[in-house]
């Protein structure tokens, strides 16, 4: 059997009610029975005392005259009371004058008179009464009665009590069973509702209210809680739906954006391929006719030299020079295009070492020139080594070119601090330029010197700027005519 | 073998000017006698692998060197190169790519396909002439082919 705390409320309530009413009934019955017994004992004691006094009064003459026969006869009247067990008359000396029954045994009659008074002794009520006349004590009357009446009464009241107890308990059980519902029903209803809520997640159910008592208040509170939970649940669901919708919208948006990016990438790829094709055709198709122009000018000069005068030969030489210059322009433009579309691979680049290599190359190519180079050691930067080499090569080559007319040419590569930012510096003491035209320095085909002064196509610095820009850096120049030029760049 | 039918240089070139200038450069060094010209890539492939009666392969000649332009009509130079170097019979013939293209991807592709040399045609005729005659001399006289 499950422990008491696991019993259903119904059973608990019924048990409590039965326990209480049982206890009350048992206590009441015990009190009733005790009262009955005490009262009855008092009653029979008083009856026996009365009877004793009557008998004692009747016995005075017999005692006074020590008449044994009379005394015996008087006592024999006791036979009409079936409860009388024994009786005896003692004279003044305490000797037994007469007994009842006549042949009473010694265990029924004490040998000497007992002190006056009544008491229950060994299942009997015994008593001694003085026999007196005119204030003079003549002897003592001893009388003993059984207590069958008392035990009968006790038995009867016991039976009554048990019957009453049984009936009362039955009635109590019936009432408890009927009335416990008043308390347990709302609790059970609450429990049922709570179970429904927790198992089905149905927050729309409500516990029925069965009264205005504390349980009613509890039910109200519970229902209010359910209302709030239902509201919150609805709100949550709404949020969830909204969130889902928003996620779906976002996903769609992202997909669209992704699609757009993909399209852009494809377009960019197409544009790059077009640029490649363009560069290819420039490289191939523009050079072939130039070669024809140059080649056949040469053929003319070789095969028809006799038919041409000096002016004609000069003209043909100019045609050849122009075609070769155009070839150089095409090559430089191609280089610029290559710089623009080349893929960047970033790593740490030793710019000092790179500058030393370029300088060595320049000196090898034109050993007759003597230029003083000052290259700061340990200059490093993060960038694409191929592109940075093209940029540095252009800048140093520029310095080399524009110091050609300088008696003591000097070129320096170093780094400096410009507004808290590290900038690399390429400085020469060559032809320099007018700061008025500083903004034209980096434009394609922009030149500040005539081809007669210094040859060049005007693509080199444009290429440098494009490389620096692709590295996220800036490039600018300072200079003055005949006082050199200084190029600064950041990476 | 009839020496008049021997082809020493096979020029694959579509531009008539370039053909003439090449011829002129080779003539100046007396190297133009056994020159055969294919004017597009398809013709070059026919020359080696085709069934045409004029396919000189039929009479058992093998050029000492092939000068191959890249930008050709019908079948481009790289494809011709791929076919030549992919075939057991023609793999050992030296192929010199002679083109206007100085593009890195072209150069890389040509060498990957097995080109023996890559020369960008100079615009300057003297330089062009020097390059062509030098390579003619080198491949015909200096270089020793397998037999």
């Amino acid at each position: 059997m499950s422990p008491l705390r696991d019993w259903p409320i119904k059973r608990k309530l019924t048990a409590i009610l039965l326990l209480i009413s049982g206890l009350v009934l048992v206590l009441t019955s015990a009190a009733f029975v005790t009262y009955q017994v005490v009262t009855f004992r008092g009653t029979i004691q008083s009856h026996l005392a009365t009877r004793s006094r009557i008998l004692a009064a009747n016995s005075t003459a017999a005692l006074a005259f020590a008449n044994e026969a009379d005394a015996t006869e008087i006592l024999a009247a006791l036979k009409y009371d079936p409860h009388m067990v024994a009786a005896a008359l003692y004279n003044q000396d305490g000797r037994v004058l007469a007994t009842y029954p006549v042949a009473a045994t010694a265990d029924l009659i004490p040998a000497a008179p007992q002190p006056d008074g009544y008491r229950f002794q060994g299942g009997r009520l015994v008593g001694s009464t003085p026999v007196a006349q005119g204030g003079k004590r003549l002897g003592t009357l001893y009388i003993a009665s059984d207590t069958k009446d008392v035990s009968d009464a006790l038995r009867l009241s016991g039976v009554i009590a048990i019957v009453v107890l049984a009936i009362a308990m039955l009635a109590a059980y019936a009432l408890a069973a009927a009335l416990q519902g008043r308390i347990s029903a709302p609790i059970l209803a609450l429990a049922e509702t709570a179970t429904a809520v927790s198992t089905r997640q149905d927050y729309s159910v409500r516990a029925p209210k069965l009264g205005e008592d504390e349980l009613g208040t509890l039910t109200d509170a519970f229902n209010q809680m359910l209302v709030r939970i239902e509201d919150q649940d609805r709100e949550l669901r709404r949020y969830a739906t909204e969130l889902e919708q928003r996620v779906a919208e976002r996903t769609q948006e992202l997909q669209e954006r992704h699609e757009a990016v993909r399209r852009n990438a494809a377009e960019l790829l197409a544009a790059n391929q077009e640029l490649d094709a363009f560069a290819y055709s420039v490289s191939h198709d523009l050079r072939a006719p130039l070669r024809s122009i140059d080649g056949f000018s040469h053929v003319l000069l070789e095969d028809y030299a006799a038919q041409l005068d000096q002016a004609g030969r000069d003209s043909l030489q100019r045609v050849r020079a122009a075609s070769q210059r155009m070839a150089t322009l095409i090559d430089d433009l191609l280089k610029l295009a290559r710089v623009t579309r080349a893929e960047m691979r970033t790593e740490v680049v030793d710019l000092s070492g790179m500058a030393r290599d370029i300088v060595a190359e320049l000196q090898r190519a034109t050993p007759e020139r003597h230029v003083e180079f000052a290259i700061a050691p340990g200059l490093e930067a993060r960038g694409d080594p191929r592109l940075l080499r093209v940029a540095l090569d252009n800048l140093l080559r520029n310095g080399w070119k524009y110091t050609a007319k300088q008696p003591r040419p000097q070129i320096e590569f170093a780094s400096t601090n410009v507004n808290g930012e590290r900038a690399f510096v390429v400085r020469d003491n060559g032809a320099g330029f007018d700061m008025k035209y500083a903004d034209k320095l980096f434009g394609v085909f922009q030149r500040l010197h005539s081809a007669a002064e210094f040859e060049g196509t005007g693509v080199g610095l444009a290429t440098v700027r494009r490389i620096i820009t692709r590295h996220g850096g800036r490039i600018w120049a300072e200079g003055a005519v005949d006082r050199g030029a200084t190029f600064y760049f950041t990476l | 073998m009839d020496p008049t039918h021997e082809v020493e240089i096979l020029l694959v070139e579509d531009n008539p000017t370039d053909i003439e200038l090449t011829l002129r450069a080779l003539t100046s060094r007396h190297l133009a006698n056994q020159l055969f010209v294919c004017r597009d890539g398809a013709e070059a492939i026919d020359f080696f692998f085709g069934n045409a009666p004029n396919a000189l392969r039929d009479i058992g000649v093998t050029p000492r060197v092939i000068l191959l332009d890249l930008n050709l009509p019908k079948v481009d130079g790289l494809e011709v190169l791929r076919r030549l170097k992919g075939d057991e019979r023609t793999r050992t013939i030296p192929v010199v790519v002679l083109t206007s293209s100085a593009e890195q991807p072209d150069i890389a592709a040509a060498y990957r396909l097995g080109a023996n040399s890559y020369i960008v045609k100079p615009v300057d005729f003297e330089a062009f002439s020097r390059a062509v005659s030098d390579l003619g001399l080198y491949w015909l006289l200096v270089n020793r082919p397998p037999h």
Side-chain angles (χ1 to χ4, degrees):
Chain A
M1 191 173 183
S2 55
L4 185 69
R5 63 163 191 276
D6 291 341
W7 282 11
I9 281 183
K10 277 181 178 184
R11 202 200 273 178
K12 263 186 216 160
L13 278 173
T14 309
I16 288 166
L17 286 172
L18 286 184
L19 200 65
I20 292 168
S21 42
L23 191 66
V24 168
L25 280 169
V26 166
L27 285 176
T28 313
S29 304
F32 165 71
V33 170
T34 308
Y35 173 76
Q36 281 276 312
V37 169
V38 168
T39 312
F40 204 72
R41 274 163 74 137
T43 306
I44 61 169
Q45 189 176 332
S46 125
H47 281 169
L48 191 67
T50 307
R51 191 175 305 241
S52 290
R53 273 194 289 275
I54 292 167
L55 216 51
N58 290 341
S59 309
T60 49
L63 266 182
F65 297 102
N67 188 339
E68 237 176 88
D70 276 1
T72 302
E73 201 181 324
I74 288 164
L75 289 184
L78 288 173
K79 69 182 177 213
Y80 297 110
D81 186 342
H83 296 302
M84 289 303 141
V85 177
L89 268 173
Y90 301 87
N91 62 16
Q92 250 175 317
D93 307 326
R95 215 170 35 80
V96 174
L97 189 64
T99 63
Y100 170 84
V102 180
T105 51
D107 64 310
L108 283 175
I109 309 291
Q114 304 282 308
D116 292 345
Y118 297 85
R119 62 196 171 278
F120 286 89
Q121 190 179 38
R124 296 192 189 120
L125 177 59
V126 297
S128 296
T129 308
V131 182
Q133 191 179 37
K136 185 176 174 262
R137 184 169 184 143
L138 299 174
T140 303
L141 173 68
Y142 170 80
I143 196 162
S145 160
D146 67 26
T147 52
K148 202 169 159 288
D149 274 1
V150 176
S151 49
D152 281 352
L154 187 62
R155 202 173 297 123
L156 181 64
S157 16
V159 169
I160 290 170
I162 285 165
V163 169
V164 168
L165 195 67
I167 291 169
M169 285 302 273
L170 271 176
Y173 179 77
L175 270 174
L179 294 179
Q180 53 80 21
R182 300 274 170 109
I183 291 167
S184 66
I187 293 175
L188 289 179
L190 269 179
E192 229 167 80
T193 312
T195 309
V197 168
S198 66
T199 53
R200 297 204 307 267
Q201 254 97 49
D202 177 5
Y203 302 111
S204 66
V205 294
R206 293 290 177 270
K209 191 179 174 185
L210 301 172
E212 289 296 341
D213 58 354
E214 291 89 338
L215 282 171
T217 314
L218 180 62
T219 306
D220 274 347
F222 183 74
N223 283 340
Q224 273 166 17
M225 196 175 76
L226 276 181
V227 168
R228 207 163 302 162
I229 289 175
E230 194 183 6
D231 284 353
Q232 282 172 356
D233 186 56
R234 201 177 301 127
E235 194 86 333
L236 269 178
R237 274 172 212 279
R238 202 166 55 77
Y239 276 136
T241 316
E242 238 171 67
L243 207 64
E244 260 170 45
Q245 204 174 328
R246 223 176 288 171
V247 165
E249 275 169 23
R250 252 318 142 77
T251 309
Q252 168 111 25
E253 231 171 79
L254 276 177
Q255 271 168 351
E256 277 167 18
R257 221 174 282 174
H258 179 74
E259 185 61 27
V261 166
R262 216 181 50 73
R263 252 198 322 273
N264 276 354
E267 274 167 27
L268 208 61
L269 189 69
N272 254 339
Q273 280 166 350
E274 245 168 67
L275 198 66
D276 278 345
F278 172 72
Y280 189 89
S281 75
V282 166
S283 158
H284 189 275
D285 299 345
L286 290 190
R287 251 196 280 223
L290 277 179
R291 201 163 40 250
S292 294
I293 295 167
D294 188 63
F296 285 100
S297 305
H298 191 267
V299 168
L300 270 178
L301 282 171
E302 242 178 27
D303 295 2
Y304 301 94
Q307 280 102 312
L308 286 170
D309 61 2
Q310 188 56 42
R313 282 193 292 275
D314 280 354
S315 299
L316 279 175
Q317 284 299 353
R318 280 187 197 187
V319 169
R320 292 196 65 200
S323 61
Q324 271 160 39
R325 179 165 162 70
M326 187 157 170
T328 315
L329 278 173
I330 289 169
D331 284 347
D332 283 358
L333 267 184
L334 278 175
K335 272 185 214 153
L336 182 63
R338 224 171 274 144
V339 158
T340 306
R341 68 182 203 273
E343 215 176 286
M344 295 259 291
R345 256 171 307 200
T346 305
E347 57 187 73
V348 174
V349 179
D350 171 17
L351 292 177
S352 296
M354 201 177 258
R356 279 193 295 272
D357 287 350
I358 295 165
V359 166
E361 217 172 84
L362 287 170
Q363 282 169 337
R364 243 195 331 273
T366 332
E368 66 277 9
R369 279 201 64 192
H370 296 285
V371 177
E372 193 183 313
F373 277 100
I375 295 166
L379 298 182
E380 283 186 347
R382 283 190 65 78
D384 182 292
R386 258 173 348 107
L387 290 180
L388 287 181
R389 169 143 192 143
V390 172
L392 205 53
D393 184 89
N394 266 301
L395 289 172
L396 290 170
R397 215 171 274 276
N398 252 7
W400 180 271
K401 183 162 71 182
Y402 290 107
T403 52
K405 291 168 186 168
Q406 164 68 236
R408 280 197 59 203
Q410 290 172 334
I411 297 170
E412 184 193 354
F413 177 50
S415 80
T416 183
N417 197 314
V418 178
N419 302 330
E421 195 181 4
R422 190 178 64 155
F424 296 98
V425 187
V426 178
R427 180 180 289 124
D428 65 62
N429 62 345
F433 61 91
D434 191 334
M435 280 301 275
K436 262 197 297 198
Y437 308 116
D439 58 324
K440 289 192 164 181
L441 223 44
F442 299 100
V444 183
F445 295 137
Q446 300 281 354
R447 299 212 63 212
L448 301 184
H449 300 275
S450 69
E453 262 185 302
F454 295 100
E455 59 180 25
T457 53
V459 179
L461 285 179
T463 308
V464 173
R465 183 168 68 176
R466 212 163 275 189
I467 290 169
I468 301 301
T469 309
R470 284 200 69 187
H471 281 80
R474 289 182 305 122
I475 184 164
W476 68 99
E478 285 170 5
V481 175
D482 291 332
R483 298 196 15 218
T486 307
F487 289 89
Y488 298 90
F489 64 92
T490 63
L491 287 172
Chain B
M1 191 186 294
D2 183 354
T4 55
H5 281 104
E6 195 174 334
V7 173
E8 292 198 311
I9 299 175
L10 177 70
L11 176 64
V12 188
E13 172 66 77
D14 64 312
N15 185 332
T17 308
D18 277 3
I19 293 171
E20 199 173 335
L21 291 175
T22 306
L23 206 57
R24 194 179 171 90
L26 289 173
T27 309
S28 67
R29 295 294 185 94
H30 311 291
L31 295 167
N33 297 336
Q34 284 89 34
L35 181 87
F36 188 86
V37 179
C38 293
R39 284 166 198 279
D40 60 53
E43 208 177 297
I45 285 170
D46 264 357
F47 178 86
F48 289 102
F49 309 112
N51 298 316
N54 67 334
L56 294 192
R57 178 188 54 92
D58 287 352
I59 49 171
V61 289
T62 307
R64 300 281 296 276
V65 65
I66 299 167
L67 305 182
L68 179 65
D69 189 13
L70 290 187
N71 199 8
L72 293 170
K74 296 182 188 172
V75 179
D76 80 10
L78 289 175
E79 176 59 22
V80 173
L81 182 61
R82 200 181 61 73
R83 293 285 300 272
L84 287 175
K85 291 298 182 183
D87 194 295
E88 204 62 54
R89 294 165 293 175
T90 52
R91 184 177 293 158
T92 57
I93 307 171
V95 176
V96 175
V97 176
L98 187 62
T99 175
S100 298
S101 168
E103 291 298 288
Q104 200 55 47
D106 279 346
I107 298 171
Y111 277 113
R112 211 165 32 243
L113 290 173
N116 300 75
S117 185
Y118 191 105
I119 291 165
V120 180
K121 293 176 190 167
V123 168
D124 177 356
F125 177 74
E126 268 138 22
F128 176 79
S129 178
R130 200 160 48 243
V132 170
S133 56
D134 281 357
L135 77 87
L137 280 174
Y138 174 79
W139 289 107
L140 295 188
L141 301 178
V142 180
N143 187 53
R144 182 177 285 265
H147 281 294

